[in-house]
Structures are given as structure tokens and as C-alpha cells.
Amino acid sequence: MRRPIIAGNWKMYKDVNEAVELANSIKRAAFDMDNVDIVICPPFTDLSDIGEMLVESAIGLGAQNCFWEKEGAFTGEVSATMLKSVGCQYVIIGHSERRGYFGETDGTVNRKLRAAVDNDLIPIMCVGETLEEREADKTPDVVRTQVTQGLKGFDEDHLGQMVIAYEPVWAIGTGRTATPEQAQEVHVMIRDLIRELYSGSFAESKRILYGGSVKPENAGELMKQEDIDGGLIGGASLKADSFVDIIKTTSRVYEGR
Ligand code: PGA
């Protein structure tokens, strides 16, 4: 059975004091959750402090982005090596806000993915269609292209523990969630594609998270779906109560499997 991941994407919220407080509350409340991998992805400026706080903890630390070069004259960028040095184990790559507001493409996602895996960071590669694309029945094509191009040139050994997050753009921060069936359908599509590109056992081992307005109220139904292996949580990860609630719900669902 795949072990679920609940990852919090804090986006551009929380200064360092707020971040340490939130991370501490999560740590206290979720210390006994041993069947779920918990990951928090704060802004860059919080990573070093939180990295120190989490040294002895089972909670994983992730960044929200990285650049593909190791170092150099790239003002404003942060490399995978640097993330590793402050204690990150994960990095989100190709979030739709990066694609939409900062010009990221499947090509840049591919290069960032390479930098992540070369530095032993577990990439959480985000894919997902816009509302327009869904309404034009283009979801399968869009997701297929994003996954295929993103993973271009990688073999199974390279990808290691790579995680994929399916995040329909129309469900992010909108309060509009994909129904469990809609999400499951795309997750199956992604898993089938991984099987086609790699092997059956590799596809079965890959964790595919759902993201887009996951809340305590809808987490249970989503996590019950066979091919949903956890969640990438935005808004509801900014408060310890709701984030831990989602973790506990996921833990219960998996206990019952
Ligand atoms: P949301 O964000 O939970 O606030 O919709 C999810 C994400 O963008 O990863």
C-alpha cells in the first residue's frame, strides 16, 4: 500500500515568527500520526528556522520552488543545493501559480525536476487543467502533456520517490473542489500514463496527491479514492487545526484500508 502524504503549501503567507509558531503547533498536534507522511512547505525566508526545529521530527520540510542551476549570477533565485543545506527534503515544482504568474513551462519544470533529484530532494510535480480546458474536454491532453514533458529524459531510477500532485487550476483557492470521482478519474489517467512511460510496479509505487480546496470537510471522501494518495493543501494548511484535522482524517481512512 502506498503511504499517504499530506503536504501544506503555505504560499506567500507567514513571516518567520508566525511560521515557527504554526510549525510548532503542527508538530505538537501531529506527533503520533505514524501512517501519514507530513510535509510543510513554508516561504524561503522561513526554511532555515523551521529546518532547525524539525531536525528530530518526522515532519518533512519542503520549498515551494527552486532554480535549476547550482549557483551563479541569477538574482533572486534559490538553488536545490541551498534548499538541501537548510534541511529541505522536498520541493514543489511547477505549481500552477508559478506557471500562471511567473512564466514556468513544462520545459522549466523538467529542468527544475532534474536539479531536485540530482540533489536528493523529492520533487512534488504539479499538473492540472484550467476551467476553460476542462470545459473543452481537454483535461486528458493537458495532463498528459504536462506529465510527459515534465518527466522527459528521466528513467525510473532517477525519479526515485518523485511525487505528482494533480491540482485542477479551477479548484485552487476557489472553494470549488473537484468531486472525489472527478479527481479519481484524473489520478487513474496519470497512473496509467506512468505505467505506459515506465513500468507497472513503478506506477503502482508512485504517490499522486490531489490539491485544490481540500478542507477537513471534504478530505475524507477524497482520501477514500483508490488512486488518491494524499493532498497538497493550500488555504487549510495555514491553521494548525484544519491542517491537523486533514492529517487525522487521512490517517483514519488509511487505517481502515
Ligand atoms: P488551496 O491550494 O488548498 O488553497 O486550494 C492548493 C494549492 O495551491 O496547492
Side-chain angles (χ1 to χ4, degrees):
M1 192 166 64
R2 292 177 294 269
R3 190 178 157 86
I5 303 182
I6 297 295
N9 173 11
W10 294 4
K11 307 195 179 183
M12 199 177 74
Y13 291 98
K14 309 290 176 192
D15 66 24
V16 71
N17 297 323
E18 296 164 336
V20 166
E21 198 183 314
L22 176 56
N24 254 321
S25 310
I26 294 168
K27 199 172 146 185
R28 271 197 305 271
F31 75 96
D32 58 348
M33 294 288 106
D34 52 13
N35 64 344
V36 178
D37 284 343
I38 304 169
V39 179
I40 53 178
C41 304
F44 286 138
T45 46
D46 305 338
L47 289 174
S48 181
D49 285 60
I50 298 191
E52 272 175 36
M53 244 187 74
L54 295 181
V55 169
E56 297 286 310
S57 150
I59 299 178
L61 182 66
Q64 300 170 18
N65 181 28
C66 73
F67 191 54
W68 53 80
E69 295 288 347
K70 183 170 177 279
E71 58 185 12
F74 302 104
T75 303
E77 293 297 324
V78 174
S79 73
T81 335
M82 291 165 182
L83 297 179
K84 193 77 191 168
S85 75
V86 289
C88 287
Q89 296 102 19
Y90 294 82
V91 58
I92 299 173
I93 292 184
H95 189 279
S96 64
E97 285 150 17
R98 301 289 325 161
R99 294 176 190 256
Y101 303 140
F102 302 101
E104 296 202 9
T105 62
D106 294 331
T108 62
V109 167
N110 182 262
R111 296 183 79 173
K112 290 180 176 198
L113 210 63
R114 166 104 27 218
V117 300
D118 283 352
N119 286 284
D120 284 330
L121 287 170
I122 302 175
I124 303 177
M125 180 177 81
C126 301
V127 299
E129 80 288 0
T130 62
L131 183 58
E132 221 180 7
E133 290 163 343
R134 174 159 282 264
E135 286 174 345
D137 292 328
K138 288 191 184 145
T139 303
D141 289 347
V142 170
V143 170
R144 189 180 182 87
T145 305
Q146 289 173 334
V147 173
T148 313
Q149 298 294 317
L151 301 184
K152 203 168 161 184
F154 285 95
D155 56 33
E156 286 188 17
D157 292 345
H158 263 121
L159 289 173
Q161 298 190 62
M162 184 239 352
V163 175
I164 294 181
Y166 168 57
E167 298 206 304
V169 180
W170 48 272
I172 296 179
T174 57
R176 218 181 133 177
T177 326
T179 63
E181 295 73 26
Q182 280 174 324
Q184 165 68 10
E185 192 184 10
V186 181
H187 281 231
V188 169
M189 238 185 265
I190 295 172
R191 201 175 304 285
D192 286 345
L193 178 56
I194 303 288
R195 189 172 295 114
E196 189 186 312
L197 295 172
Y198 299 99
S199 67
S201 57
F202 189 70
E204 283 311 312
S205 72
K206 285 300 107 191
R207 294 182 286 186
I208 308 176
L209 315 184
Y210 169 77
S213 299
V214 178
K215 303 181 272 282
E217 303 82 66
N218 59 24
E221 286 309 306
L222 286 160
M223 299 312 152
K224 276 184 198 154
Q225 304 301 309
E226 178 80 29
D227 288 277
I228 299 185
D229 310 312
L232 183 55
I233 324 292
S237 73
L238 296 173
K239 289 214 167 75
D241 285 358
S242 46
F243 188 58
V244 172
D245 204 325
I246 294 170
I247 296 167
K248 290 191 171 161
T249 301
T250 305
S251 170
R252 270 196 304 275
V253 169
Y254 274 73
E255 250 165 33
R257 276 200 177 173

